[in-house]
Amino acid sequence: MSKPSLPRGTRDFGPEVVSKRNYILGTIRGVFELYGFQPLETPAMENLETLMGKYGEEGDKLIFKILNNGLDEPSKQEKARADFEKVLDGKLAKDLTEKALRYDLTIPFARYVAMNYGQLTFPFRRYQIQPVWRADKPQKGRYREFTQCDVDVVGSNSLLNEVELAVIYHSVMTRLGLYGYELRVNSRKILSALAEVCGGAEKLTDITIAIDKIDKIGIDRVKVELTARGLVSSQVDAIETFLSIKGANPEKIALASDLIGHTEAGRKGLDELRFLLDHLAPSGATTAPGAIAATGAGPNIVVDFTLARGLNYYTGMIFEVKAPSTVQIGSIGGGGRYDDLTGLFDVPGVPGVGVSFGVDRIYDVIEALRLFPETVHAGTQVLFFHLGDQESRASFALMQQLRGTGIRCEIYHEAAKFDKQFRYAEKKSIPYAVILGTQELTQGTCIVKDLAKGEQRTISQEALVRYGF
């Protein structure tokens, strides 16, 4: 019999890891609710037709399909083999598979809005924290099952939503101690303008798919891919010039304006970036009336024209969060505006914008930087020793009193020697022990031992609930 194992790209989470993850999730959830967002959950699986064609050429390949039940029947096997070839070609084959694990939380959210459009109050502000699955190649910081935290506003065209989402990123990152993060921003309108300059709107998908890989493969291989996708050398050179823009944010916008500012899409996209930057100017550097004073120095925004986010549904501003440079892990969040996502489900004209937090990567970053608070471990605070039947009964009653005040405690499961119970407390990092033996039972007292300091006190059982663990 082979040893038990896990599917590649998945993980078990032990108690300590779960406590740390809950610290991250609780921080994110607290910020979401502070900004007036409401929780939502959707099923782990969706109809395959709900997901296919929504994530672009690359994304569709990473959707986990679920085989239909009953395919082991001999009468269905020949057709199943033929249908399998269709699925490999990215086509639907309902006799073989008609369901899939969700790839992200955005498309299920759009499906939910479309199905419940008449019952929702707009703008509808929702957050969602659930696992998603992608048939990606597992590697450091990249998993096949991982948790996403999404926050979205639908039913509003206002760019103030983008401003709020930028501040939400800043609030979460600084609360988690990730002060060196970068919030990179661009606009799909700017990329549309670049496509227009380089031959027409039909080139947008080819350009964004290639640009989206620049961090992984570099500019030279991006140029090769652009050429393979049918762009001529002058168009490739124009794209390289655009992607090479450097400098401070205002300087980047000015240089981009020289290249694409004559197009309507270019003007609109650059105006969006100016609006965001003006509203989030740090204290003392306000560039527009009513600029929002974010906490600290404000969001660490970097205009990045290489940012493409290769998902077809984005239509406006796009975001990506980079971890502090001391940790090489890639993006830890991202999102953008999608002004007609529900149109995919026959409910057109519902604008929206949202961002996502990559909890698993954020965990890895905080772990690498040793930023988890010592108090994050929510383990047992007090261990009651088990010294016999009568003693354990009295200990159990005292333990319930402590639990009633919120003190986390447990009693050793059986009568055992002192050193065995002390070793148990040490292995579980339990800071206090309460010892109630025959003498203490008779006198109405108990011994409280601070295991870290090696100090102990004898107090009345009545005073235990006020001890101050």
Side-chain angles (χ1 to χ4, degrees):
M1 182 179 293
S2 61
K3 293 181 179 179
S5 61
L6 288 170
R8 288 188 65 210
T10 66
R11 298 150 296 158
D12 287 323
F13 298 125
E16 183 178 351
V17 174
V18 171
S19 294
K20 291 178 177 179
R21 285 171 61 86
N22 285 344
Y23 164 72
I24 296 171
L25 294 172
T27 300
I28 294 172
R29 184 180 289 108
V31 172
F32 287 170
E33 293 181 353
L34 183 66
Y35 281 78
F37 290 86
Q38 297 177 301
L40 176 70
E41 292 188 357
T42 59
M45 69 176 109
E46 295 276 351
N47 290 325
L48 184 56
E49 62 187 12
T50 297
L51 305 180
M52 290 294 289
K54 312 302 193 302
Y55 302 107
E57 176 185 331
E58 299 296 318
D60 281 353
K61 295 176 182 178
L62 303 182
I63 295 174
F64 271 112
K65 286 84 174 176
I66 300 172
L67 291 178
N68 293 341
N69 294 334
L71 293 178
D72 55 340
E73 296 178 17
S75 62
K76 294 183 178 181
Q77 288 181 5
E78 185 175 344
K79 188 171 190 312
R81 290 190 182 95
D83 284 343
F84 189 72
E85 296 296 327
K86 292 183 182 179
V87 172
L88 289 178
D89 291 335
K91 300 175 183 177
L92 296 175
K94 289 190 175 182
D95 289 338
L96 179 67
T97 174
E98 55 186 348
K99 296 180 289 295
L101 295 177
R102 59 172 173 253
Y103 175 93
D104 71 353
L105 300 179
T106 303
I107 294 296
F109 173 52
R111 188 263 310 150
Y112 173 85
V113 172
M115 290 179 64
N116 296 276
Y117 183 78
Q119 289 76 47
L120 298 176
T121 300
F122 293 100
F124 180 51
R125 298 161 70 86
R126 90 78 166 89
Y127 75 85
Q128 192 169 348
I129 301 176
Q130 289 186 280
V132 299
W133 295 266
R134 295 184 185 178
D136 213 343
K137 182 179 179 181
Q139 54 187 284
K140 180 178 175 58
R142 188 181 296 275
Y143 308 101
R144 286 176 171 166
E145 179 186 53
F146 56 97
T147 299
Q148 278 192 341
C149 297
D150 280 17
V151 59
D152 292 76
V153 183
V154 293
S156 172
N157 288 302
S158 174
L159 287 175
L160 286 175
N161 295 311
E162 277 85 338
V163 173
E164 274 206 322
L165 292 173
V167 179
I168 284 174
Y169 265 137
H170 182 65
S171 298
V172 170
M173 295 302 158
T174 53
R175 289 185 187 201
L176 294 174
L178 300 177
Y179 295 98
Y181 82 96
E182 286 185 347
L183 177 55
R184 296 184 173 267
V185 298
N186 196 9
S187 174
R188 291 284 285 214
K189 292 184 177 71
I190 290 173
L191 295 173
S192 295
L194 181 62
E196 184 180 335
V197 169
C198 295
E202 70 276 3
K203 300 288 187 182
L204 176 61
T205 299
D206 291 327
I207 291 172
T208 54
I209 288 174
I211 290 176
D212 198 41
K213 300 176 183 177
I214 193 167
D215 285 343
K216 298 176 184 177
I217 65 176
I219 185 63
D220 290 336
R221 290 179 63 185
V222 166
K223 290 167 64 178
V224 170
E225 182 163 335
L226 288 169
T227 300
R229 289 178 175 273
L231 277 75
V232 300
S233 58
S234 60
Q235 295 169 339
V236 173
D237 290 343
I239 292 171
E240 182 180 17
T241 299
F242 181 79
L243 298 180
S244 301
I245 290 175
K246 306 293 182 187
N249 291 334
E251 184 180 356
K252 290 177 182 176
I253 291 175
L255 291 171
S257 183
D258 292 340
L259 294 172
I260 62 168
H262 60 284
T263 68
E264 183 180 1
R267 284 195 301 273
K268 287 182 177 179
L270 293 171
D271 284 345
E272 289 177 355
L273 296 184
R274 292 188 186 99
F275 183 95
L276 182 73
L277 294 172
D278 286 348
H279 279 72
L280 293 175
S283 178
T286 299
T287 57
I292 294 172
T295 55
N300 306 329
I301 292 180
V302 176
V303 172
D304 181 1
F305 293 126
T306 70
L307 178 61
R309 295 203 61 81
L311 298 179
N312 287 344
Y313 53 67
Y314 290 125
T315 59
M317 204 176 302
I318 50 179
F319 300 92
E320 189 163 279
V321 182
K322 296 287 187 181
S325 58
T326 51
V327 182
Q328 300 301 314
I329 204 167
S331 68
I332 56 176
R337 177 164 284 277
Y338 44 89
D339 275 341
D340 194 29
L341 190 60
T342 53
L344 298 169
F345 303 106
D346 297 323
V347 182
V350 182
V353 59
V355 297
S356 178
F357 291 76
V359 173
D360 300 272
R361 289 189 176 186
I362 291 173
Y363 178 99
D364 290 343
V365 172
I366 296 176
E367 188 72 42
L369 297 176
R370 299 180 180 180
L371 293 175
F372 281 110
E374 292 182 7
T375 56
V376 76
H377 180 62
T380 301
Q381 294 168 274
V382 181
L383 174 67
F384 282 80
F385 275 32
H386 193 311
L387 302 177
D389 185 55
Q390 279 191 308
E391 292 85 349
S392 69
R393 287 173 182 269
S395 293
F396 193 88
L398 288 173
M399 181 173 63
Q400 290 301 94
Q401 291 181 31
L402 287 186
R403 285 171 171 166
T405 66
I407 301 298
R408 303 183 300 274
C409 45
E410 62 179 284
I411 188 168
Y412 195 73
H413 68 108
E414 63 184 4
K417 293 181 179 180
F418 269 59
D419 60 344
K420 186 175 183 179
Q421 298 190 54
F422 276 122
R423 284 199 302 273
Y424 176 81
E426 181 181 1
K427 288 180 179 178
K428 292 191 67 177
S429 301
I430 299 174
Y432 293 96
V434 172
I435 301 169
L436 188 63
T438 304
Q439 181 177 336
E440 289 76 27
L441 192 61
T442 302
Q443 296 176 350
T445 62
C446 60
I447 298 171
V448 180
K449 190 171 182 68
D450 185 325
L451 299 177
K453 297 179 180 178
E455 301 172 354
Q456 67 180 47
R457 289 177 56 191
T458 299
I459 64 173
S460 70
Q461 295 175 21
E462 186 182 272
L464 184 64
V465 74
R466 301 186 299 274
Y467 186 80
F469 293 105

